[in-house]
Amino acid sequence: VERPHSGLPGKVFACLSVLFVTVTAVNLSISTLPSLREEEEQGQCSQMCHNVFIVESVCVGWFSLEFLLRLIQAPSKFAFLRSPLTLIDMVAILPYYITLLVDGAAAGRRKPGAGNSYLDKVG
């Protein structure tokens, strides 16, 4: 995982990672479309909004898997967790999971038709 030039599996893994980064960037751009922003502010979610969420979920799943594989392979877990790139990865991945937890906890307390709060948009 850390050395993509080590062989064919490493190169395939690296190419998949680049593909997921690209898909994430495109998905982020699509999620800023005015029509999707209006839906979000109204607390609605069309099929397009749902598809954006699914693509984001798959990409975050890939990044989480990649992070876990790198953690498992690290000779020193403490040194791995303290490295700047690892911290950047965690800052990039954690907001997704935090948003899911906040949305899940707030779902039971949210009034029907209420828009998303600022805390729900932490991601």
Side-chain angles (χ1 to χ4, degrees), residues 52-117:
V52 166
F53 175 74
I54 289 173
V55 170
E56 179 184 5
S57 298
V58 170
C59 290
V60 170
W62 172 264
F63 297 135
S64 300
L65 173 68
E66 182 180 6
F67 179 84
L68 289 175
L69 289 174
R70 288 176 39 230
L71 176 65
I72 290 168
Q73 291 180 342
S76 170
K77 309 298 187 232
F78 184 70
F80 172 78
L81 291 173
R82 288 187 54 216
S83 80
L85 290 177
T86 300
L87 295 175
I88 291 170
D89 286 345
M90 287 191 295
V91 167
I93 295 171
L94 282 177
Y96 174 83
Y97 293 111
I98 292 170
T99 302
L100 282 182
L101 288 173
V102 169
D103 282 347
R109 291 178 272 155
R110 189 175 293 141
K111 296 176 186 171
N116 293 339
S117 71

